[in-house]
Amino acid sequence: MAFPSFSCTLVSAAIVSLSLFTNADPVSSCPQPPPTGCGREIPAHQTKGASFDAQFTTCSTSKRSYRIHIPSQYDINTPAPIIFSFHGHGKTSLEQEGLSQFSNEAWNPKSIVIYPQGLHNEWQSDPDASSDDLTFTSELLTNLQSQYCIDPKKIYATGKSNGGGFAGLLACDPHLSTKIAAFAPVSGAFYDNAPSTDCAPETAPITCNPGRKDIPILEFHGSEDKSIPYSGGLNTRGNGCLPTIPHWVREWSKREGYGVKNITTNRPDLVSKGSNKATKVTMYEYGTDAKRGVVTHFLTEGLGHTWPSKEKNDDNSEKNPVVAGYDATPIILDFFRKWILP
């Protein structure tokens, strides 16, 4: 699928690293960057309406990388929303940009988008991962806020599979849950801490200690997901326990104080007729009054381990041939626009 008003430009990682982290000191503690980048010109070799590869040096001097999309409408004096989009296990930041389409300015004309790259192409929530990606994300966010004009009330996180699970981990973090306004995992891999021999997907305890209440959560999942099954259980590698998706969603609603009662809506407007099409979409909304939908879940019948899209994408391969009758990305963007930090 082509990106309207989108061009892709690669720049020297070394040049970008210098321009994005000019205060880095590889032998000292991490310096405190300026609190805001408003009024500051974008780094050299970057332009509006394009995406760039960049490097970032953490406080522990670890070299990390990410892609950034700067929207055409970006104004150095007007705080912009920012979205973090995390790739799946074994994938890359470039693949996540193409899959999630947040750089598509027909859908997202105003938000900066960050596509972080996981070490060994995985994120902290995966059973095989050993990196401290919570600290990495926190430090990267602080640095980006010093380089670009970012609205601190409009910071968002989403991701696919392992990246979706990591978005869930961010929502449960006491610190980052107070910095990020809303979260939208897609086909999320929400591993619990139970040994694989004691996996009880319908009752698995989910460790979560968010730093605030009423955290907006939007989750998409396919009933035929074979990689991260809707019914949970052991992962395909046999080294991690996954809760059922209904259990994970209900636990979020209970944590928010809304219990398990929800408004269930059939969404025929999100279904397209034809072969290899998902057959039914059901939306579950938790919360009441102005908080209705603060926790929302979309179940797509017949869909596999796929980022929902009406067009073919990297997920809609021979392994996952079913295509959704809707695009998840515009729904996520609408959800993000609805929720901001107080």
Side-chain angles (χ1 to χ4, degrees):
M1 177 178 179
F3 284 7
S5 303
F6 168 72
S7 61
C8 188
T9 306
L10 299 179
V11 297
S12 167
I15 292 174
V16 174
S17 177
L18 290 173
S19 65
L20 291 184
F21 205 73
T22 55
N23 293 322
D25 183 344
V27 295
S28 67
S29 60
C30 198
Q32 189 65 32
T36 178
C38 292
R40 183 173 184 172
E41 295 295 334
I42 61 176
H45 306 289
Q46 293 188 8
T47 57
K48 300 177 186 180
S51 297
F52 304 87
D53 286 328
Q55 286 189 341
F56 172 71
T57 302
T58 68
C59 294
S60 62
T61 72
S62 174
K63 300 290 186 181
R64 300 293 297 265
S65 62
Y66 62 95
R67 284 181 65 78
I68 179 171
H69 178 78
I70 305 173
S72 299
Q73 296 185 24
Y74 176 72
D75 183 331
I76 63 172
N77 296 307
T78 303
I82 188 169
I83 299 169
F84 287 79
S85 183
F86 297 91
H87 62 75
H89 186 273
K91 301 295 184 177
T92 67
S93 57
L94 180 61
E95 289 176 302
Q96 180 64 13
E97 181 177 33
L99 177 67
S100 65
Q101 293 276 303
F102 285 107
S103 299
N104 181 342
E105 294 197 10
W107 290 340
N108 176 32
K110 296 182 179 180
S111 298
I112 296 170
V113 190
I114 304 298
Y115 303 94
Q117 178 60 49
L119 292 178
H120 310 296
N121 297 350
E122 61 191 10
W123 297 105
Q124 184 174 345
S125 57
D126 187 86
D128 292 332
S130 58
S131 55
D132 182 1
D133 292 316
L134 290 172
T135 298
F136 160 61
T137 303
S138 179
E139 292 179 6
L140 177 58
L141 173 59
T142 298
N143 182 255
L144 290 166
Q145 287 179 305
S146 73
Q147 300 292 331
Y148 303 91
C149 193
I150 294 171
D151 190 333
K153 294 185 177 182
K154 298 179 180 179
I155 300 168
Y156 304 100
T158 181
K160 165 74 191 302
S161 192
N162 176 209
F166 183 62
L169 194 65
L170 292 171
C172 288
D173 183 73
H175 170 66
L176 285 165
S177 62
T178 67
K179 301 294 183 182
I180 301 174
F183 305 82
V186 176
S187 303
F190 308 113
Y191 291 101
D192 65 26
N193 295 320
S196 56
T197 54
D198 298 324
C199 185
E202 294 183 353
T203 59
I206 299 173
T207 303
C208 190
N209 299 292
R212 63 184 175 98
K213 290 183 65 65
D214 292 325
I215 294 178
I217 301 289
L218 172 64
E219 204 277 343
F220 295 83
H221 226 93
S223 65
E224 300 305 308
D225 192 326
K226 304 302 182 185
S227 298
I228 308 296
Y230 195 74
S231 58
L234 288 179
N235 65 350
T236 55
R237 286 167 281 162
N239 65 347
C241 181
L242 294 160
T244 70
I245 298 304
H247 173 52
W248 186 86
V249 172
R250 286 194 295 263
E251 286 299 295
W252 259 111
S253 180
K254 291 181 344 186
R255 196 176 298 117
E256 308 270 41
Y258 296 109
V260 299
K261 185 178 180 180
N262 67 84
I263 299 172
T264 303
T265 307
N266 182 26
R267 294 293 303 270
D269 56 310
L270 302 182
V271 176
S272 298
K273 296 181 179 180
S275 59
N276 288 339
K277 296 286 187 179
T279 57
K280 183 180 179 181
V281 179
T282 307
M283 179 177 68
Y284 302 87
E285 296 176 289
Y286 297 80
T288 57
D289 301 324
K291 298 295 184 180
R292 174 178 169 176
V294 66
V295 176
T296 298
H297 167 53
F298 283 84
L299 167 61
T300 305
E301 299 286 348
L303 197 66
H305 192 58
T306 299
W307 188 286
S309 171
K310 291 187 290 186
E311 305 292 336
K312 285 287 185 178
N313 59 27
D314 286 348
D315 279 352
N316 297 326
S317 62
E318 293 181 3
K319 186 177 180 181
N320 296 302
V322 175
V323 177
Y326 66 97
D327 294 301
T329 299
I331 297 174
I332 293 172
L333 289 166
D334 286 342
F335 185 80
F336 286 167
R337 293 183 190 109
K338 179 179 178 181
W339 303 101
I340 65 174
L341 285 175

